Amino acid sequence: MKSIMRYWKNYRPLAFISALILCSSCVQDINIEEESEEKIVVNCVLVPDSIQTLTLTYSNLLNHFYYDEVKTATATLFCNDTEVGNFEKTGYSRWQLKHIPEAGSDYRIKVKVPDWPEISASTTMPSSVQVIKDHGNNTNTRRYFKQLYAETPYWMFIIRQYKDTVMLIPEIMPADQLENSLGTNHPYRDDFNMSDNIMFYDTGGEGTTTEHIAYMRITQLEDGMENEISFYMEGSFRQSLVFFRAASAEYDLYMKSSVQKMMVNSTFDDPSSWFDESGIYSNINNGLGIFAAYTDHIVQCHYVLDNIEE
């Protein structure tokens, strides 16, 4: 695991991180024995916005490094079995539909491409995680929070801001970057991507939690997380956005398998890992890709806001 962390620190795979955040990449490996079998790749992650985006491509062969777009298709979105509308093509492999997803609603997508079997997938739009800033000895490397409610698993990550500004509506700017490591004492954290190190081991800081790679997954209690949970996070907070991303079941599996795959492929001490054939989670019937949903709750941490309560 230490070799993973050394590689992670030096490599900083921002393209991979962007793919996880935006969910725009192909999400399942092609079996080497079926490398000549072409499939349709469907990627659509519903977000609480007025425009939903879909990408349609053909899977590439192992010796190709590009993806051909699906030029003709009918892609229909359904909410609780009621048709919402059809996606319209807006660019290369890119399709869009005006719709604001409803929390708690069941969604289904159906894609028809000439001469191909009908493609389908389903997901549920999650409600936002309720997390607020909490009282505590907040510093540039530690922040206290209180979880009020979460009905699904959720993911925490930190985006470091390089533009010194206080935002009324927090959002990612082009120069911002994902923090490579974070830690927490949250009692329901998932340690699947934990390293062997204590936070800030490489900078001489005084960390108290174990370092996790890029993301922190918080699991769901059997009856939902309705009880209040106070916790703190360790990372770089002086100018940052802290994301609490409520995940549909499909997005949760996609994220976890993506990070696990990244960790396997980053292990250079074991050459057998280069030939790992496990794929990233996909829920597309008669195709590849992901149809899922998430809802973000974003908290801005800024030295100007340190003494301001929400």
Side-chain angles (χ1 to χ4, degrees):
M1 180 62 73
K2 290 183 179 179
S3 64
I4 294 176
M5 294 307 302
R6 287 197 300 270
Y7 177 63
W8 177 267
K9 296 289 186 183
N10 295 331
Y11 179 49
R12 294 177 175 269
L14 298 180
F16 172 82
I17 295 307
S18 297
L20 287 187
I21 293 176
L22 301 177
C23 284
S24 60
S25 64
C26 176
V27 295
Q28 183 166 324
D29 289 349
I30 301 173
N31 190 309
I32 193 169
E33 296 178 355
E34 301 176 349
E35 61 177 297
S36 61
E37 182 182 358
E38 189 176 49
K39 294 185 178 181
I40 294 177
V41 181
V42 179
N43 282 309
C44 181
V45 180
L46 302 179
V47 294
D49 200 349
S50 59
I51 301 292
Q52 305 307 312
T53 301
L54 164 75
T55 62
L56 292 175
T57 63
Y58 296 100
S59 59
N60 62 345
L61 305 182
L62 293 182
N63 60 340
H64 291 174
F65 301 96
Y66 60 88
Y67 297 90
D68 291 327
E69 69 169 343
V70 175
K71 295 182 179 181
T72 302
T74 301
T76 308
L77 183 67
F78 297 86
C79 176
N80 297 327
D81 291 328
T82 300
E83 182 175 324
V84 174
N86 293 329
F87 287 82
E88 296 183 358
K89 198 170 189 300
T90 59
Y92 188 88
S93 76
R94 185 181 181 89
W95 304 65
Q96 291 187 325
L97 171 65
K98 291 183 178 180
H99 177 68
I100 302 176
E102 303 170 2
S105 293
D106 295 327
Y107 282 87
R108 177 168 55 91
I109 195 170
K110 181 172 64 177
V111 180
K112 294 182 178 179
V113 179
D115 301 322
W116 288 81
E118 183 177 286
I119 297 170
S120 63
S122 60
T123 192
T124 300
M125 189 69 190
S127 299
S128 179
V129 179
Q130 297 179 25
V131 176
I132 61 174
K133 292 180 180 178
D134 201 4
H135 298 288
N137 185 24
N138 290 306
T139 67
N140 288 333
T141 57
R142 180 184 293 182
R143 284 290 190 274
Y144 288 81
F145 298 95
K146 179 179 290 186
Q147 172 191 296
L148 303 180
Y149 179 77
E151 64 179 17
T152 64
Y154 66 92
W155 292 74
M156 305 189 301
F157 54 96
I158 304 169
I159 300 293
R160 180 184 293 183
Q161 295 181 289
Y162 285 89
K163 184 177 181 180
D164 188 358
T165 182
V166 175
M167 297 179 169
L168 294 177
I169 301 177
E171 61 179 346
I172 297 177
M173 304 299 288
D176 296 347
Q177 292 186 5
L178 178 78
E179 280 296 302
N180 289 335
S181 59
L182 72 162
T184 185
N185 71 336
H186 195 296
Y188 298 104
R189 67 185 181 275
D190 185 344
D191 291 331
F192 79 96
N193 59 335
M194 181 178 66
S195 80
D196 298 330
N197 305 307
I198 299 297
M199 283 294 294
F200 315 120
Y201 75 98
D202 56 345
T203 61
E206 297 182 359
T208 61
T209 61
T210 306
E211 182 182 41
H212 290 66
I213 300 175
Y215 296 92
M216 185 74 67
R217 179 178 183 266
I218 304 300
T219 61
Q220 180 184 7
L221 294 178
E222 291 184 1
D223 298 325
M225 295 181 178
E226 299 185 30
N227 55 310
E228 293 187 358
I229 298 176
S230 294
F231 65 97
Y232 63 82
M233 295 175 64
E234 291 186 324
S236 178
F237 294 104
R238 179 173 171 79
Q239 293 175 202
S240 64
L241 301 177
V242 183
F243 279 70
F244 301 93
R245 176 166 289 181
S248 69
E250 298 77 20
Y251 188 81
D252 185 48
L253 290 169
Y254 165 74
M255 279 290 295
K256 186 166 183 176
S257 62
S258 296
V259 175
Q260 289 173 324
K261 185 71 172 182
M262 178 274 296
M263 294 172 65
V264 168
N265 291 338
S266 297
T267 307
F268 285 170
D269 291 345
D270 180 12
S272 65
S273 68
W274 304 344
F275 304 101
D276 173 69
E277 295 182 6
S278 62
I280 295 173
Y281 171 80
S282 172
N283 66 327
I284 305 298
N285 298 316
N286 292 324
L288 301 176
I290 186 73
F291 178 61
Y294 69 73
T295 302
D296 283 337
H297 174 62
I298 309 173
V299 176
Q300 183 178 28
C301 294
H302 192 280
Y303 59 89
V304 174
L305 301 173
D306 280 351
N307 298 318
I308 299 178
E309 297 182 5
E310 293 186 331

PDB file of all heavy atoms in Angstrom, residues 20-55:
ATOM      1  N   LEU A  20     -14.108  10.480 -12.479  1.00  0.00           N
ATOM      2  CA  LEU A  20     -14.935  10.049 -11.362  1.00  0.00           C
ATOM      3  C   LEU A  20     -15.938  11.113 -10.972  1.00  0.00           C
ATOM      4  O   LEU A  20     -17.095  10.830 -10.679  1.00  0.00           O
ATOM      5  CB  LEU A  20     -14.060   9.712 -10.147  1.00  0.00           C
ATOM      6  CG  LEU A  20     -13.253   8.432 -10.228  1.00  0.00           C
ATOM      7  CD1 LEU A  20     -12.593   8.172  -8.890  1.00  0.00           C
ATOM      8  CD2 LEU A  20     -14.130   7.252 -10.600  1.00  0.00           C
ATOM      9  N   ILE A  21     -15.493  12.380 -10.957  1.00  0.00           N
ATOM     10  CA  ILE A  21     -16.376  13.452 -10.540  1.00  0.00           C
ATOM     11  C   ILE A  21     -17.481  13.675 -11.550  1.00  0.00           C
ATOM     12  O   ILE A  21     -18.639  13.886 -11.219  1.00  0.00           O
ATOM     13  CB  ILE A  21     -15.582  14.752 -10.323  1.00  0.00           C
ATOM     14  CG1 ILE A  21     -14.633  14.587  -9.120  1.00  0.00           C
ATOM     15  CG2 ILE A  21     -16.512  15.928 -10.088  1.00  0.00           C
ATOM     16  CD1 ILE A  21     -13.750  15.768  -8.871  1.00  0.00           C
ATOM     17  N   LEU A  22     -17.146  13.630 -12.826  1.00  0.00           N
ATOM     18  CA  LEU A  22     -18.113  13.943 -13.870  1.00  0.00           C
ATOM     19  C   LEU A  22     -18.777  12.714 -14.451  1.00  0.00           C
ATOM     20  O   LEU A  22     -19.774  12.817 -15.162  1.00  0.00           O
ATOM     21  CB  LEU A  22     -17.422  14.733 -14.989  1.00  0.00           C
ATOM     22  CG  LEU A  22     -16.778  16.044 -14.550  1.00  0.00           C
ATOM     23  CD1 LEU A  22     -16.084  16.686 -15.732  1.00  0.00           C
ATOM     24  CD2 LEU A  22     -17.812  16.983 -13.963  1.00  0.00           C
ATOM     25  N   CYS A  23     -18.206  11.529 -14.172  1.00  0.00           N
ATOM     26  CA  CYS A  23     -18.777  10.275 -14.672  1.00  0.00           C
ATOM     27  C   CYS A  23     -18.954  10.283 -16.179  1.00  0.00           C
ATOM     28  O   CYS A  23     -20.036  10.046 -16.705  1.00  0.00           O
ATOM     29  CB  CYS A  23     -20.118   9.997 -14.003  1.00  0.00           C
ATOM     30  SG  CYS A  23     -19.957   9.421 -12.343  1.00  0.00           S
ATOM     31  N   SER A  24     -17.875  10.558 -16.896  1.00  0.00           N
ATOM     32  CA  SER A  24     -18.003  10.651 -18.349  1.00  0.00           C
ATOM     33  C   SER A  24     -17.175   9.618 -19.090  1.00  0.00           C
ATOM     34  O   SER A  24     -17.036   9.687 -20.296  1.00  0.00           O
ATOM     35  CB  SER A  24     -17.571  12.048 -18.806  1.00  0.00           C
ATOM     36  OG  SER A  24     -16.232  12.283 -18.439  1.00  0.00           O
ATOM     37  N   SER A  25     -16.609   8.639 -18.370  1.00  0.00           N
ATOM     38  CA  SER A  25     -15.734   7.688 -19.050  1.00  0.00           C
ATOM     39  C   SER A  25     -16.430   6.353 -19.237  1.00  0.00           C
ATOM     40  O   SER A  25     -17.425   6.050 -18.607  1.00  0.00           O
ATOM     41  CB  SER A  25     -14.460   7.475 -18.225  1.00  0.00           C
ATOM     42  OG  SER A  25     -14.780   6.883 -17.003  1.00  0.00           O
ATOM     43  N   CYS A  26     -15.848   5.528 -20.112  1.00  0.00           N
ATOM     44  CA  CYS A  26     -16.326   4.153 -20.251  1.00  0.00           C
ATOM     45  C   CYS A  26     -16.041   3.426 -18.952  1.00  0.00           C
ATOM     46  O   CYS A  26     -14.954   3.563 -18.397  1.00  0.00           O
ATOM     47  CB  CYS A  26     -15.614   3.470 -21.415  1.00  0.00           C
ATOM     48  SG  CYS A  26     -16.057   1.738 -21.608  1.00  0.00           S
ATOM     49  N   VAL A  27     -16.976   2.640 -18.440  1.00  0.00           N
ATOM     50  CA  VAL A  27     -16.839   2.147 -17.090  1.00  0.00           C
ATOM     51  C   VAL A  27     -16.797   0.637 -16.959  1.00  0.00           C
ATOM     52  O   VAL A  27     -17.084   0.103 -15.918  1.00  0.00           O
ATOM     53  CB  VAL A  27     -17.984   2.687 -16.205  1.00  0.00           C
ATOM     54  CG1 VAL A  27     -17.882   4.183 -16.084  1.00  0.00           C
ATOM     55  CG2 VAL A  27     -19.320   2.277 -16.768  1.00  0.00           C
ATOM     56  N   GLN A  28     -16.431  -0.071 -18.031  1.00  0.00           N
ATOM     57  CA  GLN A  28     -16.254  -1.513 -17.880  1.00  0.00           C
ATOM     58  C   GLN A  28     -15.209  -2.005 -18.865  1.00  0.00           C
ATOM     59  O   GLN A  28     -15.219  -1.638 -20.034  1.00  0.00           O
ATOM     60  CB  GLN A  28     -17.578  -2.243 -18.099  1.00  0.00           C
ATOM     61  CG  GLN A  28     -17.438  -3.752 -17.871  1.00  0.00           C
ATOM     62  CD  GLN A  28     -18.786  -4.419 -17.749  1.00  0.00           C
ATOM     63  OE1 GLN A  28     -19.707  -3.845 -17.207  1.00  0.00           O
ATOM     64  NE2 GLN A  28     -18.907  -5.618 -18.253  1.00  0.00           N
ATOM     65  N   ASP A  29     -14.285  -2.842 -18.371  1.00  0.00           N
ATOM     66  CA  ASP A  29     -13.250  -3.384 -19.239  1.00  0.00           C
ATOM     67  C   ASP A  29     -13.852  -4.367 -20.238  1.00  0.00           C
ATOM     68  O   ASP A  29     -14.857  -5.024 -19.973  1.00  0.00           O
ATOM     69  CB  ASP A  29     -12.194  -4.118 -18.409  1.00  0.00           C
ATOM     70  CG  ASP A  29     -11.357  -3.147 -17.611  1.00  0.00           C
ATOM     71  OD1 ASP A  29     -11.475  -1.940 -17.866  1.00  0.00           O
ATOM     72  OD2 ASP A  29     -10.615  -3.612 -16.736  1.00  0.00           O
ATOM     73  N   ILE A  30     -13.200  -4.499 -21.384  1.00  0.00           N
ATOM     74  CA  ILE A  30     -13.603  -5.478 -22.383  1.00  0.00           C
ATOM     75  C   ILE A  30     -12.765  -6.729 -22.188  1.00  0.00           C
ATOM     76  O   ILE A  30     -11.537  -6.662 -22.135  1.00  0.00           O
ATOM     77  CB  ILE A  30     -13.404  -4.930 -23.807  1.00  0.00           C
ATOM     78  CG1 ILE A  30     -14.235  -3.656 -23.985  1.00  0.00           C
ATOM     79  CG2 ILE A  30     -13.765  -5.952 -24.854  1.00  0.00           C
ATOM     80  CD1 ILE A  30     -13.973  -2.942 -25.288  1.00  0.00           C
ATOM     81  N   ASN A  31     -13.423  -7.867 -22.064  1.00  0.00           N
ATOM     82  CA  ASN A  31     -12.722  -9.129 -21.897  1.00  0.00           C
ATOM     83  C   ASN A  31     -11.820  -9.362 -23.106  1.00  0.00           C
ATOM     84  O   ASN A  31     -12.244  -9.218 -24.251  1.00  0.00           O
ATOM     85  CB  ASN A  31     -13.750 -10.267 -21.771  1.00  0.00           C
ATOM     86  CG  ASN A  31     -13.092 -11.566 -21.342  1.00  0.00           C
ATOM     87  OD1 ASN A  31     -12.104 -12.001 -21.929  1.00  0.00           O
ATOM     88  ND2 ASN A  31     -13.669 -12.173 -20.320  1.00  0.00           N
ATOM     89  N   ILE A  32     -10.570  -9.746 -22.868  1.00  0.00           N
ATOM     90  CA  ILE A  32      -9.616  -9.898 -23.965  1.00  0.00           C
ATOM     91  C   ILE A  32     -10.065 -10.948 -24.969  1.00  0.00           C
ATOM     92  O   ILE A  32      -9.729 -10.882 -26.148  1.00  0.00           O
ATOM     93  CB  ILE A  32      -8.213 -10.237 -23.403  1.00  0.00           C
ATOM     94  CG1 ILE A  32      -7.160 -10.084 -24.500  1.00  0.00           C
ATOM     95  CG2 ILE A  32      -8.204 -11.652 -22.826  1.00  0.00           C
ATOM     96  CD1 ILE A  32      -5.747 -10.134 -23.965  1.00  0.00           C
ATOM     97  N   GLU A  33     -10.870 -11.926 -24.504  1.00  0.00           N
ATOM     98  CA  GLU A  33     -11.361 -12.957 -25.408  1.00  0.00           C
ATOM     99  C   GLU A  33     -12.496 -12.444 -26.287  1.00  0.00           C
ATOM    100  O   GLU A  33     -12.891 -13.076 -27.246  1.00  0.00           O
ATOM    101  CB  GLU A  33     -11.829 -14.166 -24.597  1.00  0.00           C
ATOM    102  CG  GLU A  33     -10.690 -14.838 -23.826  1.00  0.00           C
ATOM    103  CD  GLU A  33     -11.190 -16.002 -23.006  1.00  0.00           C
ATOM    104  OE1 GLU A  33     -12.428 -16.213 -22.971  1.00  0.00           O
ATOM    105  OE2 GLU A  33     -10.365 -16.700 -22.406  1.00  0.00           O
ATOM    106  N   GLU A  34     -13.061 -11.259 -25.946  1.00  0.00           N
ATOM    107  CA  GLU A  34     -14.164 -10.709 -26.699  1.00  0.00           C
ATOM    108  C   GLU A  34     -13.806  -9.340 -27.265  1.00  0.00           C
ATOM    109  O   GLU A  34     -14.629  -8.485 -27.449  1.00  0.00           O
ATOM    110  CB  GLU A  34     -15.397 -10.598 -25.808  1.00  0.00           C
ATOM    111  CG  GLU A  34     -15.859 -11.924 -25.229  1.00  0.00           C
ATOM    112  CD  GLU A  34     -17.014 -11.757 -24.269  1.00  0.00           C
ATOM    113  OE1 GLU A  34     -17.310 -10.591 -23.911  1.00  0.00           O
ATOM    114  OE2 GLU A  34     -17.617 -12.760 -23.886  1.00  0.00           O
ATOM    115  N   GLU A  35     -12.496  -9.133 -27.532  1.00  0.00           N
ATOM    116  CA  GLU A  35     -12.048  -7.816 -27.930  1.00  0.00           C
ATOM    117  C   GLU A  35     -12.626  -7.376 -29.268  1.00  0.00           C
ATOM    118  O   GLU A  35     -12.676  -6.195 -29.569  1.00  0.00           O
ATOM    119  CB  GLU A  35     -10.521  -7.767 -27.997  1.00  0.00           C
ATOM    120  CG  GLU A  35      -9.905  -8.732 -29.006  1.00  0.00           C
ATOM    121  CD  GLU A  35      -8.402  -8.577 -29.069  1.00  0.00           C
ATOM    122  OE1 GLU A  35      -7.942  -7.491 -29.459  1.00  0.00           O
ATOM    123  OE2 GLU A  35      -7.694  -9.516 -28.719  1.00  0.00           O
ATOM    124  N   SER A  36     -13.114  -8.318 -30.070  1.00  0.00           N
ATOM    125  CA  SER A  36     -13.682  -7.949 -31.352  1.00  0.00           C
ATOM    126  C   SER A  36     -15.169  -7.633 -31.250  1.00  0.00           C
ATOM    127  O   SER A  36     -15.783  -7.203 -32.224  1.00  0.00           O
ATOM    128  CB  SER A  36     -13.483  -9.086 -32.366  1.00  0.00           C
ATOM    129  OG  SER A  36     -14.136 -10.265 -31.924  1.00  0.00           O
ATOM    130  N   GLU A  37     -15.761  -7.834 -30.067  1.00  0.00           N
ATOM    131  CA  GLU A  37     -17.184  -7.590 -29.890  1.00  0.00           C
ATOM    132  C   GLU A  37     -17.426  -6.131 -29.530  1.00  0.00           C
ATOM    133  O   GLU A  37     -17.038  -5.669 -28.461  1.00  0.00           O
ATOM    134  CB  GLU A  37     -17.757  -8.496 -28.799  1.00  0.00           C
ATOM    135  CG  GLU A  37     -19.254  -8.310 -28.597  1.00  0.00           C
ATOM    136  CD  GLU A  37     -19.794  -9.183 -27.486  1.00  0.00           C
ATOM    137  OE1 GLU A  37     -19.004  -9.954 -26.902  1.00  0.00           O
ATOM    138  OE2 GLU A  37     -20.999  -9.074 -27.188  1.00  0.00           O
ATOM    139  N   GLU A  38     -18.076  -5.427 -30.421  1.00  0.00           N
ATOM    140  CA  GLU A  38     -18.371  -4.025 -30.187  1.00  0.00           C
ATOM    141  C   GLU A  38     -19.682  -3.887 -29.428  1.00  0.00           C
ATOM    142  O   GLU A  38     -20.639  -4.607 -29.677  1.00  0.00           O
ATOM    143  CB  GLU A  38     -18.460  -3.291 -31.524  1.00  0.00           C
ATOM    144  CG  GLU A  38     -18.542  -1.785 -31.400  1.00  0.00           C
ATOM    145  CD  GLU A  38     -18.538  -1.117 -32.763  1.00  0.00           C
ATOM    146  OE1 GLU A  38     -19.324  -1.552 -33.629  1.00  0.00           O
ATOM    147  OE2 GLU A  38     -17.755  -0.170 -32.964  1.00  0.00           O
ATOM    148  N   LYS A  39     -19.709  -2.956 -28.473  1.00  0.00           N
ATOM    149  CA  LYS A  39     -20.912  -2.691 -27.700  1.00  0.00           C
ATOM    150  C   LYS A  39     -21.155  -1.188 -27.632  1.00  0.00           C
ATOM    151  O   LYS A  39     -20.274  -0.382 -27.921  1.00  0.00           O
ATOM    152  CB  LYS A  39     -20.793  -3.278 -26.287  1.00  0.00           C
ATOM    153  CG  LYS A  39     -20.724  -4.796 -26.256  1.00  0.00           C
ATOM    154  CD  LYS A  39     -20.724  -5.313 -24.825  1.00  0.00           C
ATOM    155  CE  LYS A  39     -20.695  -6.830 -24.801  1.00  0.00           C
ATOM    156  NZ  LYS A  39     -20.729  -7.375 -23.415  1.00  0.00           N
ATOM    157  N   ILE A  40     -22.355  -0.827 -27.226  1.00  0.00           N
ATOM    158  CA  ILE A  40     -22.694   0.579 -27.051  1.00  0.00           C
ATOM    159  C   ILE A  40     -22.461   0.970 -25.597  1.00  0.00           C
ATOM    160  O   ILE A  40     -22.861   0.254 -24.674  1.00  0.00           O
ATOM    161  CB  ILE A  40     -24.149   0.852 -27.464  1.00  0.00           C
ATOM    162  CG1 ILE A  40     -24.297   0.631 -28.971  1.00  0.00           C
ATOM    163  CG2 ILE A  40     -24.569   2.270 -27.087  1.00  0.00           C
ATOM    164  CD1 ILE A  40     -25.712   0.809 -29.479  1.00  0.00           C
ATOM    165  N   VAL A  41     -21.796   2.101 -25.405  1.00  0.00           N
ATOM    166  CA  VAL A  41     -21.486   2.605 -24.075  1.00  0.00           C
ATOM    167  C   VAL A  41     -22.426   3.766 -23.759  1.00  0.00           C
ATOM    168  O   VAL A  41     -22.463   4.757 -24.489  1.00  0.00           O
ATOM    169  CB  VAL A  41     -20.026   3.075 -23.980  1.00  0.00           C
ATOM    170  CG1 VAL A  41     -19.721   3.565 -22.568  1.00  0.00           C
ATOM    171  CG2 VAL A  41     -19.075   1.953 -24.374  1.00  0.00           C
ATOM    172  N   VAL A  42     -23.180   3.624 -22.677  1.00  0.00           N
ATOM    173  CA  VAL A  42     -24.135   4.639 -22.244  1.00  0.00           C
ATOM    174  C   VAL A  42     -23.664   5.202 -20.912  1.00  0.00           C
ATOM    175  O   VAL A  42     -23.477   4.459 -19.951  1.00  0.00           O
ATOM    176  CB  VAL A  42     -25.548   4.038 -22.073  1.00  0.00           C
ATOM    177  CG1 VAL A  42     -26.532   5.098 -21.585  1.00  0.00           C
ATOM    178  CG2 VAL A  42     -26.028   3.413 -23.377  1.00  0.00           C
ATOM    179  N   ASN A  43     -23.460   6.517 -20.847  1.00  0.00           N
ATOM    180  CA  ASN A  43     -23.096   7.165 -19.589  1.00  0.00           C
ATOM    181  C   ASN A  43     -24.066   8.298 -19.313  1.00  0.00           C
ATOM    182  O   ASN A  43     -24.157   9.253 -20.097  1.00  0.00           O
ATOM    183  CB  ASN A  43     -21.671   7.718 -19.641  1.00  0.00           C
ATOM    184  CG  ASN A  43     -20.633   6.626 -19.446  1.00  0.00           C
ATOM    185  OD1 ASN A  43     -20.706   5.862 -18.497  1.00  0.00           O
ATOM    186  ND2 ASN A  43     -19.684   6.548 -20.368  1.00  0.00           N
ATOM    187  N   CYS A  44     -24.798   8.196 -18.222  1.00  0.00           N
ATOM    188  CA  CYS A  44     -25.743   9.246 -17.831  1.00  0.00           C
ATOM    189  C   CYS A  44     -25.849   9.249 -16.313  1.00  0.00           C
ATOM    190  O   CYS A  44     -26.263   8.250 -15.718  1.00  0.00           O
ATOM    191  CB  CYS A  44     -27.104   9.009 -18.467  1.00  0.00           C
ATOM    192  SG  CYS A  44     -28.335  10.283 -18.060  1.00  0.00           S
ATOM    193  N   VAL A  45     -25.447  10.334 -15.697  1.00  0.00           N
ATOM    194  CA  VAL A  45     -25.547  10.489 -14.247  1.00  0.00           C
ATOM    195  C   VAL A  45     -26.455  11.669 -13.966  1.00  0.00           C
ATOM    196  O   VAL A  45     -26.137  12.807 -14.303  1.00  0.00           O
ATOM    197  CB  VAL A  45     -24.164  10.699 -13.600  1.00  0.00           C
ATOM    198  CG1 VAL A  45     -24.318  10.867 -12.090  1.00  0.00           C
ATOM    199  CG2 VAL A  45     -23.255   9.520 -13.904  1.00  0.00           C
ATOM    200  N   LEU A  46     -27.601  11.406 -13.365  1.00  0.00           N
ATOM    201  CA  LEU A  46     -28.564  12.461 -13.060  1.00  0.00           C
ATOM    202  C   LEU A  46     -28.062  13.308 -11.901  1.00  0.00           C
ATOM    203  O   LEU A  46     -27.570  12.787 -10.898  1.00  0.00           O
ATOM    204  CB  LEU A  46     -29.917  11.841 -12.704  1.00  0.00           C
ATOM    205  CG  LEU A  46     -30.551  10.932 -13.762  1.00  0.00           C
ATOM    206  CD1 LEU A  46     -31.877  10.380 -13.241  1.00  0.00           C
ATOM    207  CD2 LEU A  46     -30.763  11.671 -15.083  1.00  0.00           C
ATOM    208  N   VAL A  47     -28.202  14.625 -12.046  1.00  0.00           N
ATOM    209  CA  VAL A  47     -27.780  15.573 -11.023  1.00  0.00           C
ATOM    210  C   VAL A  47     -28.910  16.567 -10.796  1.00  0.00           C
ATOM    211  O   VAL A  47     -29.753  16.772 -11.672  1.00  0.00           O
ATOM    212  CB  VAL A  47     -26.489  16.312 -11.442  1.00  0.00           C
ATOM    213  CG1 VAL A  47     -25.324  15.338 -11.529  1.00  0.00           C
ATOM    214  CG2 VAL A  47     -26.687  17.045 -12.763  1.00  0.00           C
ATOM    215  N   PRO A  48     -28.952  17.220  -9.633  1.00  0.00           N
ATOM    216  CA  PRO A  48     -30.029  18.181  -9.349  1.00  0.00           C
ATOM    217  C   PRO A  48     -29.816  19.501 -10.084  1.00  0.00           C
ATOM    218  O   PRO A  48     -29.528  20.544  -9.494  1.00  0.00           O
ATOM    219  CB  PRO A  48     -29.951  18.356  -7.830  1.00  0.00           C
ATOM    220  CG  PRO A  48     -28.531  18.061  -7.496  1.00  0.00           C
ATOM    221  CD  PRO A  48     -28.098  16.989  -8.461  1.00  0.00           C
ATOM    222  N   ASP A  49     -29.948  19.466 -11.394  1.00  0.00           N
ATOM    223  CA  ASP A  49     -29.762  20.625 -12.246  1.00  0.00           C
ATOM    224  C   ASP A  49     -30.853  20.600 -13.309  1.00  0.00           C
ATOM    225  O   ASP A  49     -31.585  19.617 -13.445  1.00  0.00           O
ATOM    226  CB  ASP A  49     -28.368  20.587 -12.893  1.00  0.00           C
ATOM    227  CG  ASP A  49     -27.915  21.959 -13.379  1.00  0.00           C
ATOM    228  OD1 ASP A  49     -28.757  22.894 -13.410  1.00  0.00           O
ATOM    229  OD2 ASP A  49     -26.736  22.099 -13.740  1.00  0.00           O
ATOM    230  N   SER A  50     -30.952  21.666 -14.088  1.00  0.00           N
ATOM    231  CA  SER A  50     -32.021  21.762 -15.078  1.00  0.00           C
ATOM    232  C   SER A  50     -31.708  21.012 -16.368  1.00  0.00           C
ATOM    233  O   SER A  50     -32.600  20.768 -17.175  1.00  0.00           O
ATOM    234  CB  SER A  50     -32.304  23.234 -15.401  1.00  0.00           C
ATOM    235  OG  SER A  50     -31.134  23.866 -15.904  1.00  0.00           O
ATOM    236  N   ILE A  51     -30.437  20.646 -16.588  1.00  0.00           N
ATOM    237  CA  ILE A  51     -30.018  19.943 -17.801  1.00  0.00           C
ATOM    238  C   ILE A  51     -29.365  18.621 -17.421  1.00  0.00           C
ATOM    239  O   ILE A  51     -28.446  18.587 -16.595  1.00  0.00           O
ATOM    240  CB  ILE A  51     -29.033  20.786 -18.643  1.00  0.00           C
ATOM    241  CG1 ILE A  51     -29.665  22.111 -19.049  1.00  0.00           C
ATOM    242  CG2 ILE A  51     -28.580  20.005 -19.872  1.00  0.00           C
ATOM    243  CD1 ILE A  51     -30.801  21.987 -20.041  1.00  0.00           C
ATOM    244  N   GLN A  52     -29.829  17.529 -18.023  1.00  0.00           N
ATOM    245  CA  GLN A  52     -29.230  16.218 -17.826  1.00  0.00           C
ATOM    246  C   GLN A  52     -28.476  15.825 -19.093  1.00  0.00           C
ATOM    247  O   GLN A  52     -28.948  16.089 -20.203  1.00  0.00           O
ATOM    248  CB  GLN A  52     -30.299  15.176 -17.498  1.00  0.00           C
ATOM    249  CG  GLN A  52     -31.167  15.549 -16.318  1.00  0.00           C
ATOM    250  CD  GLN A  52     -30.377  15.890 -15.066  1.00  0.00           C
ATOM    251  OE1 GLN A  52     -29.461  15.154 -14.680  1.00  0.00           O
ATOM    252  NE2 GLN A  52     -30.716  17.010 -14.437  1.00  0.00           N
ATOM    253  N   THR A  53     -27.313  15.221 -18.923  1.00  0.00           N
ATOM    254  CA  THR A  53     -26.427  14.915 -20.042  1.00  0.00           C
ATOM    255  C   THR A  53     -26.217  13.415 -20.190  1.00  0.00           C
ATOM    256  O   THR A  53     -26.049  12.690 -19.198  1.00  0.00           O
ATOM    257  CB  THR A  53     -25.069  15.611 -19.862  1.00  0.00           C
ATOM    258  OG1 THR A  53     -25.280  17.033 -19.785  1.00  0.00           O
ATOM    259  CG2 THR A  53     -24.142  15.315 -21.029  1.00  0.00           C
ATOM    260  N   LEU A  54     -26.215  12.984 -21.432  1.00  0.00           N
ATOM    261  CA  LEU A  54     -26.011  11.586 -21.793  1.00  0.00           C
ATOM    262  C   LEU A  54     -24.928  11.519 -22.854  1.00  0.00           C
ATOM    263  O   LEU A  54     -24.866  12.375 -23.738  1.00  0.00           O
ATOM    264  CB  LEU A  54     -27.322  11.009 -22.348  1.00  0.00           C
ATOM    265  CG  LEU A  54     -27.283   9.702 -23.140  1.00  0.00           C
ATOM    266  CD1 LEU A  54     -27.090   8.525 -22.195  1.00  0.00           C
ATOM    267  CD2 LEU A  54     -28.570   9.524 -23.944  1.00  0.00           C
ATOM    268  N   THR A  55     -24.046  10.526 -22.759  1.00  0.00           N
ATOM    269  CA  THR A  55     -23.086  10.284 -23.836  1.00  0.00           C
ATOM    270  C   THR A  55     -23.315   8.884 -24.391  1.00  0.00           C
ATOM    271  O   THR A  55     -23.571   7.938 -23.644  1.00  0.00           O
ATOM    272  CB  THR A  55     -21.624  10.421 -23.369  1.00  0.00           C
ATOM    273  OG1 THR A  55     -21.355   9.445 -22.353  1.00  0.00           O
ATOM    274  CG2 THR A  55     -21.356  11.814 -22.820  1.00  0.00           C
TER     275      THR A  55
END
